[in-house]
Amino acid sequence: MAQHDPAGLLRRRFLIGAAGVGGASVLGLQGTAHAAAPAATTTATTTTTVGPVSVTSADQQYPDLVRALNARYVAGPESVKVIDSPSQVAPIITEAVKANKRVTIRSGGHCLEDFVYNSSTQVVLDLSNMNGVYYEPAKNAICVEAGATLLDVYSKLYAAWGITIPGGICYSVGMGGHVSGGGWGMLVRRNGLVVDHLYAVEVVTVAADGSVKTVHATREATDPHRELWWAHTGGGGGNFGVVTRYYFRSPGATGTDPRGLLPKPPAEVLFSAVSWSWSDLTREEFVRLVQNYSSWHVANIGPDSPNRFVTSFMLLNHKSNGQIGLITQVDAAAPNAQQLLDNYLAYINQGVNAVRGALTSPMGEVAAMPQFAAARRLPWLQATRFAGTTNPQLNDPTLRAEYKSAYMKASFPAAQAESLYKHLTRTDIDNPKINIQLTPYGGMTNAVAEGDTAVVHRGAAFKMLWSVLWNEASEDAKYIAWTRESYEETYADTGGVPVPNAVTDGCYVNYPDADLSDPQRNRSTVPWHQLYYKGNYPRLQEAKKKYDPRDFFRHTQSVRLPGA
């Protein structure tokens, strides 16, 4: 049997480059209680209000407050307003409107493009200290402030009430942009997207006359602001206003006990991590491996599939890394959970004779085994912390990066799979942090109609993320070129991008890609906004017209006003 390294399972080299797994967010402007315990009605966290604080270049902390997680993006704003209460937002926006200042908003800092930190930014509204998580009796919902980060939210929800939201893996992603872009994570197939549980949103908006309003929008059919709620169920960050608070209550939830308002996560999970050595893989075996992953997800896309309890992502590292990795999590309480896992791993390995086994050690030595490493049984929150915090690449703020995405509806055509092989085995590149990820979708995401939320890619079976990381600015051109070449060749038959058709289904707005707006890079007839939103875009434009008619909240790929 494979020997496990409990302290290093996710520190293995095959996870290098996995920074985007779980839905890194667009942060532009968004941007276990025991059963016998009494219902909780107080806050799950306590904060002390001291802001807003204005930080300028004269302050020591300024350099750390003007840069994104992606080290390529650093701004030079006049000031950074550090906020720790929703009530502080409207006055700052009012002042900025009067002075015609360009404002961008940060919650977690994971925006993958320059939407927050760019040369036109004059004021950054930093919401990272605005991170409360509490029950709100007036809305009978769990309130999460926009600056809260994912792992903090999971920990507070679970400790107080034994519940969760099905959000992303990256522990430090901020809620502000993660939710508005339709975030997903390890519970995606079991419980859907985070927006599938969003009841209401509080947004600071700017009217046509420049007045600033704080709007509460719910999913109630009679709510006059329902379209603003809808726009935040996948419309992306930086489009309509400043999100200050989200309110979560699952559809169909009843009663006023917070413990019944959101899904309970698995009590325990089966957590598997296995790999294939690049030195053992032939081209044909690589193609079969990725086609196995894709065909399994296509066959098990339905919300009623017994395999909805299986969530798995495959890490196609560059050959210089040495390995291809597969992380799988199964709800341990699912019927025949161990058999579900065994069947899944056997399916993925069909037709692949390469040695597979445990991951390499933290020092990179291959620990090849003649069989898959046995899964570990872990409490859910421990597994969630484990996956989100133990990968150095996930947490390194000094790395530079380029990202691209795709939704996939069908199994890989041979030409696409072979293109992946070609570029992942190129010898002119030697970077173990290059990674193309195949990530789960389907399951309960498939139970929601395309128009019910702004997330339109409900028919996708799985997703892809190009995650390319490097250290030095002098290497920008080389690695950006590799990313573009590999991506555009993979989708060469459709103009270099994954247009909506029978095989592909566009791109994920929380992995923004400015190249989609460039006709030299996107040579299809499908514009960037259709890749992100498809038929939902005109409706988003109407929400833009109603709630941000001055286009005050904008960035390179923000929703445009009608006619613009």
Side-chain angles (χ1 to χ4, degrees), residues 195-248:
V195 295
D196 298 340
H197 304 269
L198 182 65
Y199 174 71
V201 61
E202 179 184 84
V203 190
V204 176
T205 64
V206 178
D209 62 0
S211 61
V212 175
K213 302 176 182 179
T214 299
V215 181
H216 287 250
T218 75
R219 66 172 177 242
E220 300 292 346
T222 57
D223 189 336
H225 298 298
R226 190 179 190 278
E227 283 300 287
L228 186 61
W229 165 84
W230 181 87
H232 285 87
T233 62
N239 292 314
F240 311 103
V242 182
V243 173
T244 50
R245 287 184 269 222
Y246 291 109
Y247 297 86
F248 293 95

Side-chain angles (χ1 to χ4, degrees), residues 48-333:
T48 301
T49 299
V50 296
V53 175
S54 184
V55 177
T56 71
S57 59
D59 295 301
Q60 175 179 309
Q61 67 268 41
Y62 178 86
D64 277 311
L65 301 184
V66 297
R67 62 186 64 235
L69 181 70
N70 184 346
R72 290 173 59 195
Y73 304 125
V74 181
E78 297 173 5
S79 64
V80 178
K81 308 295 185 182
V82 181
I83 304 299
D84 56 20
S85 172
S87 65
Q88 298 166 7
V89 173
I92 292 174
I93 297 300
T94 298
E95 180 183 342
V97 171
K98 290 179 179 179
N100 195 30
K101 299 289 187 183
R102 185 70 178 270
V103 179
T104 59
I105 284 80
R106 177 193 194 276
S107 54
H110 279 252
C111 186
L112 306 186
E113 282 286 358
D114 68 345
F115 299 168
V116 180
Y117 302 102
N118 58 67
S119 59
S120 67
T121 300
Q122 293 170 287
V123 178
V124 173
L125 196 57
D126 189 323
L127 307 182
S128 57
N129 284 345
M130 195 178 74
N131 55 14
V133 178
Y134 46 91
Y135 173 64
E136 175 55 69
K139 288 186 173 63
N140 190 30
I142 306 297
C143 178
V144 179
E145 295 177 354
T149 53
L150 289 178
L151 186 54
D152 195 37
V153 173
Y154 302 152
S155 298
K156 290 173 179 176
L157 291 179
Y158 198 54
W161 304 302
I163 57 178
T164 195
I165 51 174
I169 298 168
C170 302
Y171 82 99
S172 59
V173 166
M175 290 291 288
H178 182 69
V179 177
S180 62
W184 67 279
M186 291 297 280
L187 297 178
V188 61
R189 292 175 49 78
R190 180 184 186 268
N191 297 110
L193 304 175
V194 66
V195 295
D196 298 340
H197 304 269
L198 182 65
Y199 174 71
V201 61
E202 179 184 84
V203 190
V204 176
T205 64
V206 178
D209 62 0
S211 61
V212 175
K213 302 176 182 179
T214 299
V215 181
H216 287 250
T218 75
R219 66 172 177 242
E220 300 292 346
T222 57
D223 189 336
H225 298 298
R226 190 179 190 278
E227 283 300 287
L228 186 61
W229 165 84
W230 181 87
H232 285 87
T233 62
N239 292 314
F240 311 103
V242 182
V243 173
T244 50
R245 287 184 269 222
Y246 291 109
Y247 297 86
F248 293 95
R249 185 198 331 143
S250 298
T254 59
T256 58
D257 186 339
R259 294 170 296 182
L261 299 181
L262 287 169
K264 288 188 175 296
E268 294 181 314
V269 299
L270 302 179
F271 198 92
S272 167
V274 298
S275 68
W276 293 262
S277 172
W278 263 113
S279 62
D280 294 332
L281 278 173
T282 65
R283 177 192 296 266
E284 292 74 19
E285 287 175 325
F286 174 90
V287 170
R288 182 64 185 270
L289 191 62
V290 298
Q291 288 182 328
N292 287 348
Y293 182 94
S294 58
S295 64
W296 185 93
H297 282 80
V298 171
N300 292 278
I301 191 175
D304 298 324
S305 169
N307 283 306
R308 68 188 182 277
F309 299 107
V310 179
T311 304
S312 180
F313 56 91
M314 181 173 284
L315 301 164
L316 305 177
N317 297 301
H318 186 267
K319 190 171 184 178
S320 59
N321 178 280
Q323 296 185 74
I324 288 173
L326 184 76
I327 291 286
T328 307
Q329 177 177 294
V330 180
D331 181 347

Side-chain angles (χ1 to χ4, degrees), residues 442-493:
M444 289 305 295
T445 64
N446 191 242
V448 179
E450 288 191 347
D452 287 356
T453 64
V455 176
V456 73
H457 306 93
R458 297 290 182 165
F462 67 102
K463 293 164 60 181
M464 298 181 68
L465 169 66
W466 271 249
S467 175
V468 181
L469 309 172
W470 64 95
N471 296 99
E472 303 297 334
S474 60
E475 297 180 311
D476 285 4
K478 176 172 66 173
Y479 289 120
I480 292 171
W482 183 94
T483 311
R484 287 171 171 171
E485 290 163 8
S486 61
Y487 186 76
E488 292 170 24
E489 184 171 330
T490 299
Y491 302 111
D493 291 345

